[in-house]
Amino acid sequence: MDSIMATAQSWLTDFFDDRTKGEILNLIKNDPEELKERFYKNLEFGTGGMRGVMGVGTNRINKYTLGKNTQGLSNYLKKSYTDSEIKVVIAYDCRHNSKTLARTVAEVFSANGVHVYLFSDLRTTPELSFAVRYLGCHAGIVLTASHNPPEYNGYKVYWADGGQIVPPQDGEIIAEIDSLSFEDIKFETNENLIHLIDEEVDEAFFTASVNNGNFDAKGKDDFKIVFTSLHGTSITAIPEVLKRAGYNNVTIIEEQAKPNGDFPTVVSPNPEEPEALEMAIKKAEEIGADMVVGTDPDSDRLGIAVRNLEGKMELLNGNQTMVLMTKFLLDKHKEQGFKGNEFVASTIVSTPMMGQMAKAYGVEFKIALTGFKWIGKMIKDFPNSKFIGGGEESFGYMVGDFVRDKDAVTSTLLACEIAANAKANGSSFYKDLIDAYVQFGFYKEKLISLTKKGISGAEEIKQMLKDFKENPVESVQGSKLLWIEDYNTSIAKNVQTGEEKAIDIPKSNVLIYETEDGTRIAARPSGTEPKVKFYISTNAKLANAADYKSVNSQLDAKLDGIQSELNL
């Protein structure tokens, strides 16, 4: 506690503003436990940059922690680009303090002689990724905490390719930040270096989104969409992109259309949560809509509901949406003729069906760690390969490479194209998905996410992962364990033969079991939230579409059985 107190007291110098000092003095006097939470560590970069609760302290998002990030990044940019006039672009979402914090970040960059393009109002994360390359910037920042609770905010860094920073760069930037004291932050703004941007970049982004996501689907006039932005940024882009692509039958959920950092109509503004789309699904049932689309606050994830075989709206998961989007794109590229350098991509905790599908089309399948930055990195690392599309189970998808991060704007358009086309051909999004299961195998997944807050929670997560590694199961639902993939050691071991294989992916705190029948169970801590996640995937053959319901029930029962067996 002495070191925590010393850290807190270092924030009582004249460098810090009076409000900050007053709050710290109050915590020292009245709430030592809260003081401990705020100062026991520094916020760190995870899979999605820096994200945390807003407030005073080293373990909080505030003008000083973000100022220090920005100072370190400014120093790093100057070392990396010694002969260039450095330019960065900054966007921010609908969260509390996002606009103010974005302005602070812009001011610190400007104080360091960096030219800043700052969006005049909130914009989507995919537009920020696009803007980095469009404006020829060396880096980009977006102030967002994605779908975290209202008290959170965050800071994501993009590099000149439009993708998020990746190793070794992220480590080098962190080292630069860690070498600084808060007093090293330059807050003396140079207004001449801050340029507000809006319509020109919007126009270019909308055009690119339509060019990449529109495939001239049939039946657009007859296709009804219900859209909700869940109080986030996508209201600035998706309605316009759909309109430009020819969708005139779009109902927007007005109660959720106004950006609001309190997210007042939902428990969580996360389209992965069925509750978040309840209002939109209810509206869709009322008006007989074909599809519901909802996006998270910074518009990089999308949730989709479509009519199932009974004609009822059903929320699809990220794996299902990703599979059908990828199949559609593969079909379109196949029609034009594959050149032999195409690839699709996904992550180690997403459905193995992506790999099966790529194999069937004779297209390369690349697999990455969780976090879309790794998929963006593939595009940079393989400049002679053509990225068709790819995604991850957590409701993120990227169409082509004009954006280098998950993009709910273009993906929403793509989903509508698939569904409108299917309807015009006497099918549906749901039926097309079942046909894909018949063709490539029926893969079904389940995610179990356990929240463990605070210092004790972090210890509990550590212990759970240790147990998972050191005391592996012998079998799962009667199928013997075959492989243990340890991404911390980069070794996959066949527990039956003792054979070991190297895993050619950067190290990460992930452990995966694979059984003889192809069931996969992955365990990993979240990089951005106090959670530990378990991803279960199982599969079966589907002889024909008529057997879908019975095989679906069998897989559901198997997934429940696995969860119970693992005491999750």
Side-chain angles (χ1 to χ4, degrees):
M1 190 68 191
D2 287 351
S3 66
I4 292 169
M5 183 60 77
T7 306
Q9 285 174 337
S10 72
W11 278 47
L12 296 175
T13 65
D14 288 343
F15 178 77
F16 295 89
D17 63 64
D18 291 342
R19 190 189 62 78
T20 296
K21 289 187 282 192
E23 196 169 329
I24 292 168
L25 287 167
N26 182 48
L27 289 170
I28 291 171
K29 191 176 170 185
N30 299 314
D31 199 343
E33 275 307 306
E34 179 62 17
L35 185 82
K36 185 178 172 187
E37 275 292 338
R38 289 180 182 218
F39 283 96
Y40 84 95
K41 66 171 186 175
N42 292 330
L43 269 186
E44 295 164 1
F45 275 76
T47 55
M50 179 182 269
R51 208 183 285 184
V53 174
M54 288 176 277
V56 168
T58 57
N59 188 30
R60 293 289 183 266
I61 294 281
N62 52 63
K63 69 182 277 192
Y64 299 105
T65 52
L66 295 195
K68 192 175 167 191
N69 283 355
T70 308
Q71 186 61 51
L73 184 55
S74 297
N75 295 352
Y76 184 80
L77 281 161
K78 286 179 175 176
K79 288 177 184 174
S80 302
Y81 300 105
T82 49
D83 301 326
S84 303
E85 195 173 64
I86 298 164
K87 301 190 289 185
V88 301
V89 55
I90 301 171
Y92 57 91
D93 72 3
C94 58
R95 287 183 174 270
H96 297 306
N97 305 316
S98 278
K99 188 166 192 166
T100 311
L101 289 169
R103 178 74 201 178
T104 300
V105 170
E107 289 170 356
V108 174
F109 274 129
S110 77
N112 283 278
V114 174
H115 282 267
V116 181
Y117 295 96
L118 174 64
F119 277 102
S120 59
D121 207 344
L122 77 174
R123 289 295 187 277
T124 67
T125 289
E127 184 164 347
L128 180 277
S129 170
F130 171 82
V132 173
R133 288 196 303 150
Y134 177 75
L135 296 168
C137 289
H138 299 91
I141 307 287
V142 62
L143 280 291
T144 178
S146 189
H147 54 270
N148 281 54
E151 64 270 21
Y152 279 75
N153 214 320
Y155 181 98
K156 267 164 62 167
V157 182
Y158 292 76
W159 210 241
D161 65 320
Q164 290 181 54
I165 53 166
V166 290
Q169 217 168 33
D170 55 357
E172 291 165 1
I173 290 168
I174 290 163
E176 193 72 53
I177 293 164
D178 288 347
S179 73
L180 301 173
S181 71
F182 287 102
E183 285 77 7
D184 293 322
I185 306 167
K186 294 176 183 170
F187 281 119
E188 306 79 30
T189 314
N190 181 346
E191 289 294 346
N192 295 328
L193 296 181
I194 300 176
H195 318 282
L196 292 182
I197 54 169
D198 37 47
E199 280 99 346
E200 185 204 331
V201 182
D202 293 343
E203 188 59 39
F205 175 63
F206 296 160
T207 301
S209 189
V210 172
N211 286 344
N212 281 270
N214 184 18
F215 291 88
D216 300 318
K218 296 182 284 183
K220 292 185 184 188
D221 292 339
D222 189 37
F223 189 72
K224 276 189 182 177
I225 303 158
V226 171
F227 167 68
T228 176
S229 55
L230 298 178
H231 306 288
T233 59
S234 65
I235 198 71
T236 67
I238 287 177
E240 182 61 24
V241 165
L242 288 176
K243 186 175 153 193
R244 291 185 185 201
Y247 291 94
N248 298 312
N249 215 328
V250 181
T251 300
I252 294 168
I253 301 298
E254 293 301 335
E255 300 94 320
Q256 298 177 328
K258 194 169 182 207
N260 186 333
D262 287 324
F263 312 112
T265 64
V266 291
V267 175
S268 167
N270 183 357
E272 293 178 82
E273 303 290 342
E275 179 273 334
L277 295 187
E278 267 177 16
M279 205 177 271
I281 288 172
K282 187 171 176 244
K283 175 59 81 176
E285 296 290 16
E286 272 172 31
I287 66 170
D290 299 293
M291 176 177 267
V292 165
V293 180
T295 53
D296 68 344
D298 68 327
S299 189
D300 58 1
R301 294 169 200 250
L302 75 161
I304 289 173
V306 293
R307 297 206 175 271
N308 61 20
L309 298 178
E310 280 73 46
K312 288 277 176 207
M313 276 288 164
E314 185 177 317
L315 186 63
L316 301 179
N317 65 40
N319 284 312
Q320 292 170 311
T321 306
M322 166 173 60
V323 159
L324 203 56
M325 285 180 171
T326 306
K327 181 183 182 299
F328 184 85
L329 292 174
L330 284 166
D331 284 335
K332 290 295 175 188
H333 281 267
K334 189 179 177 184
E335 281 169 21
Q336 292 160 9
F338 288 127
K339 306 282 190 296
N341 66 338
E342 295 88 352
F343 75 97
V344 296
S346 191
T347 68
I348 56 174
V349 298
S350 299
T351 179
M353 188 171 169
M354 285 286 283
Q356 291 298 322
M357 212 160 55
K359 193 171 161 190
Y361 280 89
V363 166
E364 188 182 357
F365 174 60
K366 293 185 188 293
I367 194 157
L369 292 174
T370 309
F372 238 83
K373 63 183 180 182
W374 300 108
I375 294 177
K377 183 177 185 291
M378 289 170 183
I379 297 167
K380 185 165 66 170
D381 288 350
F382 299 94
N384 297 322
S385 296
K386 182 173 176 59
F387 176 75
I388 291 177
E392 57 185 359
E393 53 70 44
S394 56
F395 287 54
Y397 199 81
M398 187 163 81
V399 185
D401 65 1
F402 78 105
V403 167
R404 301 291 174 90
D405 201 354
K406 50 187 181 282
D407 171 10
V409 180
T410 316
S411 301
T412 292
L413 173 55
L414 176 62
C416 293
E417 290 287 291
I418 296 167
N421 210 51
K423 186 182 177 186
N425 290 330
S427 183
S428 70
F429 196 98
Y430 202 87
K431 286 176 185 168
D432 280 5
L433 181 62
I434 294 170
D435 289 342
Y437 291 149
V438 173
Q439 199 175 345
F440 306 108
F442 188 175
Y443 287 78
K444 187 145 193 183
E445 282 76 29
K446 186 171 190 175
L447 168 64
I448 294 125
S449 185
L450 308 174
T451 301
K452 308 280 181 185
K453 288 187 177 176
I455 303 168
S456 61
E459 282 303 312
E460 213 177 325
I461 287 171
K462 208 168 159 187
Q463 189 59 47
M464 285 179 89
L465 291 165
K466 188 168 182 268
D467 291 344
F468 202 69
K469 179 178 178 176
E470 293 176 2
N471 306 303
V473 297
E474 288 181 10
S475 65
V476 178
Q477 290 287 286
S479 179
K480 281 186 186 169
L481 185 62
L482 187 59
W483 288 96
I484 295 179
E485 298 168 13
D486 186 343
Y487 288 81
N488 250 336
T489 60
S490 300
I491 292 169
K493 183 175 182 179
N494 185 316
V495 295
Q496 296 182 15
T497 65
E499 178 198 351
E500 290 188 350
K501 290 191 297 197
I503 299 171
D504 188 22
I505 284 178
K507 285 182 165 51
S508 183
N509 192 9
V510 182
L511 198 79
I512 299 178
Y513 295 159
E514 184 170 334
T515 69
E516 287 177 337
D517 69 0
T519 294
R520 283 173 69 84
I521 300 151
R524 66 175 277 271
S526 168
T528 53
E529 298 170 275
K531 289 180 176 180
V532 59
K533 296 181 175 183
F534 293 87
Y535 306 79
I536 307 170
S537 174
T538 192
N539 65 85
K541 281 196 163 50
L542 186 62
N544 53 64
D547 293 342
Y548 170 73
K549 282 187 191 173
S550 62
V551 177
N552 189 44
S553 297
Q554 288 164 25
L555 289 179
D556 276 339
K558 187 171 181 180
L559 288 166
D560 289 344
I562 293 168
Q563 183 176 353
S564 169
E565 225 173 271
L566 295 173
N567 296 315
L568 296 175

